Amino acid sequence: MDMARLITGFSAGGTSDTLCRRLAARMSGQYAKSVVVENRTGAGGQIAIQAMKTLPADGSAILQTPMSMVGIYPHIYKRLPYDSFKDLTPVSIGCVYDFGFAVGPAVPASVKTIPQYLSWAKSSNQVAFGSPAAGSVPHFIGVLLGKQGGIELTHIAYRGTQPAILDMIGGQIPAVSGPIGDFLPHIAEGKCRILATSGAQRNPFVGNVSTLTEQGMQDMAISEWFGLFMPAGASSAAVQRASAALRPALAAPEVVDGLAAMGLKAESSTPAELAARLKADYERWGPIVKSIGFTAES
């Protein structure tokens, strides 16, 4: 194969693009003579997924997308330009990551846990929290925490996590829910602190911070993943060839270390494992989105 494309729905410099570029560098000359990254941005990642419907299913086009676009968007958009299960063929997971709930200088230093934060928010009527986008996993985590604490936290949607964090460390909002990697440089500078992480186990990048589950929050073990897919109709041979090429690329030290710097854990899987994980997350998030009552039009 002369050229293959790794397609992401997000702009250069972000985590999705970074993963694609590191994989492309490892796979060039092996999977194909050259592997290039194509950024098809727009509509929160939908444009890139929609594009797969028109691309060849011979292994020359591989989509990389976060779980939300294929596992949660179907529950919040009445009409999507793609079907997560009919239009895509799973190839491999690319990485996994957890979320953190962090606070800035507007929250007293004595507040060290989520229960303490919820109590403080209720008593002080400081109920706002930011997230990278409406309908994102961090948005829903904040809402679910409020429900468990008996308080309605007010969500403020930003265009990405960093603008929200900047408002938080500037004292404009008290808290932000977002991917752990986005908080790491600010934690190192002492500008904010994570009260809890969302994974089933403690996150290795902030190992001293307890999980939401450890702090008594029910059904709050939540992680997200980036997955790699081919268009529908891809042959088993094409899928297996791509999966076999991705496995060593995702284990390469420069890929593992590069992703770790962004709070991401490189991880590969079989196509069947990715398919099962997508199905499980799709089924898990349906009732959660319904209970929250959020739609793309709300």
Side-chain angles (χ1 to χ4, degrees):
M1 189 186 302
D2 286 334
M3 188 183 80
R5 290 176 287 175
L6 285 177
I7 298 169
T8 171
F10 301 91
S11 58
T15 52
S16 180
D17 174 76
T18 298
L19 172 58
C20 286
R21 291 187 186 279
R22 291 186 179 275
L23 289 177
R26 287 293 306 181
M27 295 168 72
S28 288
Q30 299 177 36
Y31 180 71
K33 289 181 181 177
S34 67
V35 180
V36 299
V37 177
E38 190 171 300
N39 303 86
R40 295 204 179 195
T41 61
Q46 294 182 40
I47 299 298
I49 303 174
Q50 182 183 12
M52 297 303 286
K53 294 164 65 173
T54 66
L55 295 177
D58 58 1
S60 62
I62 300 174
L63 168 77
Q64 189 273 105
T65 180
M67 179 278 293
S68 294
M69 283 84 240
V70 287
I72 298 180
Y73 276 19
H75 300 299
I76 65 176
Y77 286 91
K78 289 181 180 178
R79 294 181 182 86
L80 277 177
Y82 57 86
D83 184 301
S84 301
F85 297 94
K86 294 180 180 178
D87 295 329
L88 299 174
T89 302
V91 178
S92 175
I93 287 174
C95 67
V96 296
Y97 57 101
D98 299 333
F99 302 94
F101 195 89
V103 296
V107 179
S110 58
V111 174
K112 300 181 184 300
T113 67
I114 292 296
Q116 289 172 356
Y117 166 78
L118 294 171
S119 177
W120 171 82
K122 187 182 295 185
S123 63
S124 65
N125 199 32
Q126 298 287 317
V127 296
F129 78 96
S131 91
S136 64
V137 174
H139 168 196
F140 294 144
I141 286 175
V143 174
L144 293 171
L145 290 179
K147 283 179 174 288
Q148 295 206 27
I151 178 175
E152 186 173 342
L153 297 179
T154 302
H155 176 242
I156 301 175
Y158 286 79
R159 293 177 66 86
T161 312
Q162 290 304 326
I165 293 175
L166 291 177
D167 271 4
M168 177 181 69
I169 63 181
Q172 281 78 46
I173 57 172
V176 170
S177 176
I180 282 175
D182 289 332
F183 296 111
L184 295 180
H186 305 286
I187 294 171
E189 295 173 358
K191 293 181 177 179
C192 69
R193 60 192 191 277
I194 293 184
L195 300 185
T197 58
S198 70
Q201 290 85 35
R202 291 198 179 192
N203 188 277
F205 304 112
V206 283
N208 61 323
V209 179
S210 58
T211 66
L212 292 169
T213 302
E214 286 180 288
Q215 295 186 33
M217 302 293 112
Q218 301 299 310
D219 300 318
M220 290 292 288
I222 297 170
S223 298
E224 191 165 6
W225 43 264
F226 288 175
L228 295 127
F229 297 84
M230 283 185 189
S235 68
S236 175
V239 170
Q240 292 301 330
R241 181 173 179 271
S243 179
L246 285 162
R247 195 171 300 117
L250 287 163
E254 61 267 32
V255 174
V256 173
D257 295 344
L259 295 183
M262 305 180 82
L264 309 172
K265 180 186 175 186
E267 183 177 310
S268 62
S269 75
T270 66
E273 287 168 343
L274 174 55
R277 194 153 181 175
L278 171 58
K279 182 174 184 291
D281 280 337
Y282 172 84
E283 292 175 349
R284 179 187 185 185
W285 281 101
I288 293 174
V289 172
K290 188 175 182 179
S291 72
I292 291 172
F294 177 83
T295 67
E297 290 76 33
S298 61

